[in-house]
Every structure is written in structure tokens, then in C-alpha cells.
Amino acid sequence: MQSEITSRNDKLHVGIIMDGNGRWATRRGLSRVRGHEAGVETIRRIVETAPKQGIGTLTLYAFSTDNWRRPKAEVAALMTLLRFYLASEVQSLVRNGVRLTVIGRRDRLPEGIATAITRAEAATADGGALHLRIAVDYSARDAILNAAAKAAALTSLTREAFSQLVTGEAGLRDVDLIIRTSGEKRLSDFLLWEGAYAELHFTERMWPEFEASDLTEALAAFHNRERRFGGLQAILPGEVPSLSRV
Ligand code: IPE
Ligand code: IPE
Ligand code: MG
């Protein structure tokens, strides 16, 4: 198990704020829901290409805690899509060695979805090619707040231990690169703790039109950047410093 974590952690952790479905659809005279449907196709493309592009962990922002503010009909359509994705995708995830986990709150999801998530997680648990994390009813600030509440009962706390409380996983690699589509340049409450040193890549592309080649481009830009983590020397992806203080 430890060696699995280590080998997966040698590869990049990329987070994507999948934005622009609604605008993509509206500009084509389609309903926003059609944009979300097209967005699911993009998820399929990107999950397929990610392991071939050196990504070990992919965290996709699918539904934020603040997205409950949207009209009921749009929220319902998004939940239906999630249900559909979980039902239709598990086999292909297993075939491709993708381990799926879902982060965020589960207690407010429509009936049956939490069970479908648990099943999909169990069915894909052995996947070693890619760890796909889908953020649903997710808020990074809530994740930090909940971790802080749990930490309050402890007598000593390290960054690693707190990280585990925030992410729900031991040894999850910090996010190396956060991509946001649709031209917006904000984090909208995504991976605030794990992204402390993440490189940020913003593209005008709307999520439904985001291609494997756009991911390649984002990764090429990432590899051209010099990450120093506060020091003066460039640090390569395989050498990311531990969370411990110096
Ligand atoms: C992202 O696309 C998907 C979700 C937030 C669920 P949007 O629905 O935010 O699309 P825009 O930003 O309105 O174009
Ligand atoms: C962020 O997109 C959430 C997801 C992509 C799931 P939003 O479209 O909801 O974010 P804001 O409202 O533009 O910040
Ligand atoms: Mg948006």
C-alpha cells in the first residue's frame, strides 16, 4: 500500500475547475443543461488522456457548495448527470485502471447518489493508473473548517496530520497545477489548503471544448515554470518538498 502511494505520488496532481458549460451552451442557443451534458463528454476525454500525460491524481470540481444557489431545475439536472455518470462510467474506469473517489459532503445529495458513490468507489478501489477525485458539494473552506474541528481534540498536530484531516487521505500529494477554463481567474473555494504552491493556468476555452491538446498545452506551460517553494533553486516535480517545516 505504501509503495502504491509512493508511485502514484511521483506523478502530478492536477486540479481542474471545469467552468463555462452554461456560457458555451447559451452562445449556441442551447439550454445550459446541454452545456453540462457536453461537459461530461469532456470529462471522459480528459480522464482518458490524463494518465498518458504524466498525471497520477486528477481532481475535478463538478459542483461547489455554493452551486446550491442555482435554480432548482439546473441543480436537479446536474444531480441527474452525476447519477448517470456514476452508473455508466464505472466499467470503463475499472477497465482503464482508474480509482474514483468523491470529495465533499454527501448528506445533502438526492437519495441514492451517496450509495452510488460508495459503490463506484468500492468497484474502482484497485485502479492504479489514475486517481480520479470528483468534488461534489465541495467547499475548500468547509473542508479546512471540518479538519480544524477534528484537530481541536488532538494534543499535537503536524502539517501531514492536518492534511490528512483536510483531504481525507493519507499522503495525498499537494496539487501541482490548477487549471480553470472559461477565462475566469479565481479559485471559487477549490483546494485552498492543498493548492498552497500550485501553479495556476487559466484558459479562455470553455469546458465543453477543452481537448486533450489543451491539457498538453497547460502541462507544457507548467513544466516551463520554475517552482522554488520559497527557496532560490528550482525544484523538479519528483522532488516536491515535504509538508514539514524546515
Ligand atoms: C461549470 O459551468 C459547471 C458547474 C459549475 C456545475 P457553469 O455552469 O458555471 O458555466 P458558466 O460559468 O455559467 O458558463
Ligand atoms: C466553480 O464554478 C465551481 C465549479 C466549476 C464546479 P462557478 O461557475 O460556480 O464559480 P463562480 O460562481 O463563477 O465563482
Ligand atoms: Mg461558471
Side-chain angles (χ1 to χ4, degrees), residues 13-17 57-61 175-180 190-191:
H13 179 179
V14 173
I16 307 185
I17 303 172
T57 306
L58 179 66
T59 303
L60 300 178
Y61 204 4
V175 64
D176 297 283
L177 168 66
I178 294 177
I179 299 169
R180 184 169 190 151
F190 186 54
L191 304 183

Short mmCIF file of all heavy atoms in Angstrom, two decimals, residues 13-17 57-61 175-180 190-191:
data_model
loop_
_atom_site.label_atom_id
_atom_site.label_comp_id
_atom_site.label_asym_id
_atom_site.label_seq_id
_atom_site.Cartn_x
_atom_site.Cartn_y
_atom_site.Cartn_z
N HIS A 13 -0.26 15.90 -9.54
CA HIS A 13 -1.64 16.08 -9.12
C HIS A 13 -2.16 17.36 -9.80
O HIS A 13 -1.63 18.44 -9.57
CB HIS A 13 -1.72 16.20 -7.59
CG HIS A 13 -3.11 16.41 -7.06
ND1 HIS A 13 -3.38 16.52 -5.72
CD2 HIS A 13 -4.32 16.53 -7.68
CE1 HIS A 13 -4.68 16.69 -5.53
NE2 HIS A 13 -5.28 16.72 -6.71
N VAL A 14 -3.15 17.19 -10.65
CA VAL A 14 -3.73 18.33 -11.37
C VAL A 14 -5.17 18.51 -10.92
O VAL A 14 -5.91 17.54 -10.78
CB VAL A 14 -3.65 18.09 -12.91
CG1 VAL A 14 -4.41 19.17 -13.66
CG2 VAL A 14 -2.19 18.05 -13.37
N GLY A 15 -5.54 19.74 -10.67
CA GLY A 15 -6.94 20.06 -10.32
C GLY A 15 -7.55 20.89 -11.45
O GLY A 15 -6.86 21.74 -12.02
N ILE A 16 -8.79 20.62 -11.77
CA ILE A 16 -9.43 21.41 -12.84
C ILE A 16 -10.76 21.98 -12.37
O ILE A 16 -11.63 21.25 -11.86
CB ILE A 16 -9.66 20.58 -14.13
CG1 ILE A 16 -8.37 19.91 -14.60
CG2 ILE A 16 -10.20 21.49 -15.24
CD1 ILE A 16 -8.48 19.16 -15.92
N ILE A 17 -10.88 23.29 -12.52
CA ILE A 17 -12.17 23.97 -12.28
C ILE A 17 -12.87 23.99 -13.64
O ILE A 17 -12.50 24.78 -14.53
CB ILE A 17 -11.95 25.38 -11.71
CG1 ILE A 17 -11.14 25.31 -10.41
CG2 ILE A 17 -13.31 26.07 -11.47
CD1 ILE A 17 -10.70 26.66 -9.84
N THR A 57 -2.88 11.96 -10.19
CA THR A 57 -4.10 12.32 -9.45
C THR A 57 -4.77 13.49 -10.16
O THR A 57 -4.11 14.47 -10.50
CB THR A 57 -3.75 12.74 -7.99
OG1 THR A 57 -2.98 11.70 -7.39
CG2 THR A 57 -5.00 12.98 -7.16
N LEU A 58 -6.05 13.35 -10.40
CA LEU A 58 -6.81 14.38 -11.11
C LEU A 58 -8.02 14.73 -10.26
O LEU A 58 -8.86 13.87 -9.98
CB LEU A 58 -7.25 13.84 -12.47
CG LEU A 58 -8.08 14.76 -13.37
CD1 LEU A 58 -7.25 15.97 -13.82
CD2 LEU A 58 -8.58 14.00 -14.61
N THR A 59 -8.10 15.97 -9.81
CA THR A 59 -9.25 16.39 -9.01
C THR A 59 -10.11 17.33 -9.84
O THR A 59 -9.64 18.38 -10.28
CB THR A 59 -8.80 17.09 -7.71
OG1 THR A 59 -7.94 16.21 -6.97
CG2 THR A 59 -9.99 17.45 -6.83
N LEU A 60 -11.35 16.93 -10.09
CA LEU A 60 -12.25 17.72 -10.93
C LEU A 60 -13.34 18.36 -10.08
O LEU A 60 -14.02 17.68 -9.30
CB LEU A 60 -12.91 16.81 -11.99
CG LEU A 60 -11.97 16.09 -12.96
CD1 LEU A 60 -12.79 15.21 -13.91
CD2 LEU A 60 -11.14 17.10 -13.76
N TYR A 61 -13.50 19.67 -10.24
CA TYR A 61 -14.51 20.41 -9.48
C TYR A 61 -15.82 20.34 -10.26
O TYR A 61 -15.97 20.97 -11.31
CB TYR A 61 -14.04 21.85 -9.36
CG TYR A 61 -14.59 22.65 -8.20
CD1 TYR A 61 -15.41 22.10 -7.22
CD2 TYR A 61 -14.23 24.00 -8.06
CE1 TYR A 61 -15.87 22.87 -6.15
CE2 TYR A 61 -14.69 24.76 -7.00
CZ TYR A 61 -15.51 24.20 -6.05
OH TYR A 61 -15.96 24.95 -4.99
N VAL A 175 -1.67 19.62 -4.67
CA VAL A 175 -1.98 19.84 -6.08
C VAL A 175 -0.86 20.68 -6.73
O VAL A 175 -0.42 21.69 -6.18
CB VAL A 175 -3.39 20.44 -6.27
CG1 VAL A 175 -3.53 21.82 -5.67
CG2 VAL A 175 -3.81 20.44 -7.74
N ASP A 176 -0.34 20.18 -7.86
CA ASP A 176 0.78 20.85 -8.54
C ASP A 176 0.27 21.97 -9.46
O ASP A 176 0.92 23.00 -9.60
CB ASP A 176 1.55 19.84 -9.42
CG ASP A 176 2.19 18.75 -8.60
OD1 ASP A 176 3.23 19.02 -7.98
OD2 ASP A 176 1.64 17.63 -8.55
N LEU A 177 -0.84 21.71 -10.09
CA LEU A 177 -1.33 22.61 -11.13
C LEU A 177 -2.84 22.69 -11.05
O LEU A 177 -3.52 21.65 -11.00
CB LEU A 177 -0.90 22.06 -12.50
CG LEU A 177 -1.52 22.69 -13.76
CD1 LEU A 177 -1.07 24.14 -13.92
CD2 LEU A 177 -1.13 21.89 -15.00
N ILE A 178 -3.36 23.91 -11.02
CA ILE A 178 -4.81 24.10 -11.07
C ILE A 178 -5.14 24.80 -12.39
O ILE A 178 -4.58 25.86 -12.71
CB ILE A 178 -5.34 24.93 -9.88
CG1 ILE A 178 -5.15 24.15 -8.57
CG2 ILE A 178 -6.82 25.28 -10.07
CD1 ILE A 178 -5.58 24.90 -7.31
N ILE A 179 -6.01 24.16 -13.17
CA ILE A 179 -6.43 24.71 -14.46
C ILE A 179 -7.86 25.22 -14.29
O ILE A 179 -8.69 24.53 -13.67
CB ILE A 179 -6.40 23.62 -15.55
CG1 ILE A 179 -4.98 23.06 -15.73
CG2 ILE A 179 -6.96 24.15 -16.88
CD1 ILE A 179 -4.91 21.80 -16.61
N ARG A 180 -8.15 26.41 -14.80
CA ARG A 180 -9.55 26.85 -14.84
C ARG A 180 -9.90 27.25 -16.26
O ARG A 180 -9.19 28.06 -16.89
CB ARG A 180 -9.81 28.03 -13.91
CG ARG A 180 -11.31 28.40 -13.90
CD ARG A 180 -11.70 29.38 -12.81
NE ARG A 180 -13.16 29.48 -12.76
CZ ARG A 180 -13.86 29.76 -11.68
NH1 ARG A 180 -13.25 29.95 -10.53
NH2 ARG A 180 -15.18 29.85 -11.73
N PHE A 190 -11.79 26.27 -4.15
CA PHE A 190 -11.29 24.95 -4.60
C PHE A 190 -9.88 24.71 -4.07
O PHE A 190 -8.99 25.55 -4.26
CB PHE A 190 -11.28 24.96 -6.13
CG PHE A 190 -10.93 23.63 -6.79
CD1 PHE A 190 -11.61 22.46 -6.47
CD2 PHE A 190 -9.95 23.57 -7.77
CE1 PHE A 190 -11.30 21.26 -7.11
CE2 PHE A 190 -9.63 22.39 -8.41
CZ PHE A 190 -10.32 21.22 -8.07
N LEU A 191 -9.64 23.61 -3.39
CA LEU A 191 -8.32 23.14 -2.95
C LEU A 191 -7.44 24.23 -2.33
O LEU A 191 -6.27 24.37 -2.70
CB LEU A 191 -7.59 22.48 -4.14
CG LEU A 191 -8.32 21.33 -4.85
CD1 LEU A 191 -7.44 20.74 -5.95
CD2 LEU A 191 -8.73 20.22 -3.87
#
